């Protein structure tokens, strides 16, 4: 009976994956026109332009929208593996294959003792909530590497470290996967892989680290938590403006630097909390590495100056890994992230014009989406702390013996 039920569950899972991914693919191929701005232009215009530059053996040094670590070049060049397809079509097919790889990893992991198929369901049901944007960015490829790293952690720490180190050179954030890892071999493997790949790019390809300057100069993106200040301020006489800047729609004008600095301060505070947690945590279980990674990525996403829709792909992927473990404490935060994903597709691309205009609908969507992320972050951090940091017990006081009646008191 259990075997039959398990097969039926997997069949339903694959059916849902096939239906939803067919819909996503039809959207990015423009067989189905998804409302809102065209999310595929990043691939057909920007990525394709970078592809032509990268093929010459250099990074796009004069393009401030190139804000990625050097290994990102591999994702941009990957459509060359399918020369019989047009660039954008090849990219979408590779994104679909990365999505399928994540599903295969989660299904396989869910069969082990102490594991659960819930993780695979989170991925299959959660990813399409973000709409066609998931196949029109290379973040699903990075997430595939991150999921593989987390699932390899328990049995193969060296492999996890190598994947995390490589992932960090794809898009930085996979370095956070190591936060809850105690084995030094994983950290050493990550360092060797990261340094080795970075050195290889630095020697062979000019401009491998130009992205650091471009990232430093970014402002406050209109979808971020700090942007809510300016969405409200626009209705009270703030004379700044909204412009396409460094590849995203940002606020420019008075006090933007202050808010951006405030976001950096919050990110620093989050990092400090994570370091404190790592120093005090003593109870580590099989799911702790995934739970800690989920908390860390949540913190850095929520406090960032930029919360692009594709960032939610990272959270859905790590959330799926968390729920592969039956004992994970992240069920409620994962549910909040899935709810935030649904609101995200409403604010981008569906009603992005309302967000840019700072009208009541746009501001309301951002308040709800960012509020869900803040709530998920706080609840996930609390759950991680309570599960891993021992509570301090009060030191018992030894009662002094009672003095017998008539006993003289010494002076």
């Amino acid at each position: 009976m259990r075997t039959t039920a398990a097969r039926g569950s997997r069949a339903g899972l694959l059916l849902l994956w096939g239906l939803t991914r067919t819909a996503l693919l039809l959207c990015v191929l423009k067989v189905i026109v998804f409302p809102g701005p065209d999310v595929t232009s990043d691939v057909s215009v920007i990525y394709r332009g970078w592809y032509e530059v990268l093929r010459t053996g250099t990074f796009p040094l004069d393009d401030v929208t190139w804000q990625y670590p050097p290994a990102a070049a591999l994702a941009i060049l990957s459509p060359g593996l399918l020369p019989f397809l047009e660039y954008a079509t090849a990219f979408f097919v590779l994104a679909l294959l990365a999505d399928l790889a994540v599903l295969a990893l989660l299904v396989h992991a869910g069969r082990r003792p102490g594991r659960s198929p819930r993780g695979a369901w989170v991925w299959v049901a959660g990813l399409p909530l973000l709409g066609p944007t998931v196949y029109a960015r290379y973040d699903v490829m990075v997430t595939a590497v991150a999921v593989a790293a987390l699932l390899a952690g328990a049995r193969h720490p060296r492999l996890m470290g190598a994947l995390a180190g490589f992932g960090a050179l794809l898009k930085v954030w996979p370095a956070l996967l190591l936060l809850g890892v105690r084995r030094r071999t994983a950290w050493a493997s990550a360092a060797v892989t990261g340094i080795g790949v970075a050195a290889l790019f630095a020697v062979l390809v000019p401009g491998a680290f130009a992205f650091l300057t471009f990232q430093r100069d970014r402002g406050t993106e209109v979808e971020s938590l700090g942007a809510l200040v300016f969405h409200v301020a626009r209705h009270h006489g703030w004379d700044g403006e909204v412009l396409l800047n460094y590849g995203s729609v940002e606020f420019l004008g008075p006090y933007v630097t202050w808010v951006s600095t405030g976001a950096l301060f919050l990110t620093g505070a989050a990092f400090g909390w994570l370091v404190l947690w790592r120093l005090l945590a003593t109870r580590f279980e099989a799911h702790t590495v995934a739970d800690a990674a989920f908390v860390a990525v949540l913190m850095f996403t929520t406090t960032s100056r930029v919360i692009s829709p594709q960032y939610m792909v990272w959270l859905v992927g790590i959330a799926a890994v968390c729920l592969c473990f039956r004992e994970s404490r992240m069920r409620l935060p994962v549910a909040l992230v899935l709810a935030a994903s649904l609101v995200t597709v409403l604010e981008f691309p569906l009603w992005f014009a309302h967000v840019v205009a700072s009208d009541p609908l746009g501001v309301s969507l951002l308040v709800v989406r960012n509020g869900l992320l803040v709530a998920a972050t706080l609840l996930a951090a609390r759950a991680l702390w309570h599960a891993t940091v021992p509570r301090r017990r009060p030191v018992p006081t030894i009662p002094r013996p009672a003095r017998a009646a008539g006993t003289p008191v010494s002076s």
Side-chain angles (χ1 to χ4, degrees), residues 334-355:
V334 166
L336 293 175
V337 164
L338 293 180
S341 298
L342 179 58
V343 181
T344 296
V345 78
L346 298 179
E347 63 90 1
F348 184 91
L350 193 57
W351 289 320
F352 190 60
H354 295 276
V355 173

Side-chain angles (χ1 to χ4, degrees), residues 216 218-221 224-230 233 238 251-267 303-305:
R216 181 195 63 197
R218 294 195 75 160
T220 296
E221 192 252 351
S224 65
L225 185 63
L228 288 170
V229 174
F230 299 111
W238 181 70
F251 281 112
L252 299 175
Y255 310 112
V256 171
T257 303
W258 292 15
V259 172
S260 296
T261 302
L264 291 174
F265 175 81
L266 287 177
T267 300
T303 61
S304 174
R305 294 174 294 172

Side-chain angles (χ1 to χ4, degrees), residues 154-391:
R155 293 185 175 185
H156 309 286
R158 287 188 179 86
L159 177 59
M160 179 191 181
L163 289 171
F166 177 71
L169 289 174
L170 281 170
K171 209 162 187 181
V172 181
W173 67 266
L176 298 171
L177 305 181
L178 296 169
L179 183 69
V181 177
R182 293 191 294 174
R183 296 189 182 184
R184 295 180 180 179
T185 51
W187 286 86
S189 178
V192 169
T193 302
I195 293 172
V197 174
L200 190 64
F201 274 104
V203 171
L204 298 179
V205 188
F209 295 95
F211 77 98
L212 293 172
T213 300
F214 300 154
Q215 276 286 355
R216 181 195 63 197
D217 294 336
R218 294 195 75 160
T220 296
E221 192 252 351
V222 294
E223 297 164 277
S224 65
L225 185 63
L228 288 170
V229 174
F230 299 111
H231 283 295
V232 174
R234 292 177 81 182
H235 296 279
H236 296 85
W238 181 70
D239 59 353
E241 54 188 346
V242 177
L243 292 175
L244 183 64
N245 187 52
Y246 287 94
S248 63
V249 181
E250 298 180 353
F251 281 112
L252 299 175
Y255 310 112
V256 171
T257 303
W258 292 15
V259 172
S260 296
T261 302
L264 291 174
F265 175 81
L266 287 177
T267 300
F271 181 75
W273 185 93
L274 291 168
V275 171
L276 179 64
W277 168 79
R278 190 64 180 82
L279 293 173
L280 297 180
T282 58
R283 296 192 295 264
F284 286 79
E285 301 179 43
H287 57 85
T288 303
V289 172
D291 288 355
F294 184 55
V295 172
V297 177
L298 258 174
M299 284 185 166
F300 279 85
T301 299
T302 304
T303 61
S304 174
R305 294 174 294 172
V306 179
I307 306 182
S308 295
Q310 61 266 27
Y311 292 10
M312 300 298 297
V313 177
W314 319 340
L315 295 173
V316 173
I318 302 177
V321 177
C322 288
L323 293 201
C324 272
F325 296 90
R326 296 186 184 276
E327 302 301 321
S328 174
R329 307 294 183 91
M330 298 296 153
R331 294 184 187 180
L332 180 54
V334 166
L336 293 175
V337 164
L338 293 180
S341 298
L342 179 58
V343 181
T344 296
V345 78
L346 298 179
E347 63 90 1
F348 184 91
L350 193 57
W351 289 320
F352 190 60
H354 295 276
V355 173
V356 174
S358 301
D359 67 18
L361 175 58
V363 175
S364 297
L365 288 171
L366 287 182
V367 168
V368 173
R369 196 281 299 271
N370 292 346
L372 288 168
L373 288 179
V374 170
T377 302
L378 295 176
L379 289 172
R382 182 177 182 271
L384 179 66
W385 187 279
H386 286 179
T388 56
V389 177
R391 296 182 180 180

Side-chain angles (χ1 to χ4, degrees), residues 75-86:
I76 304 302
L77 290 169
S78 63
L81 297 172
L82 304 176
F84 49 88
L85 294 176
E86 188 270 332

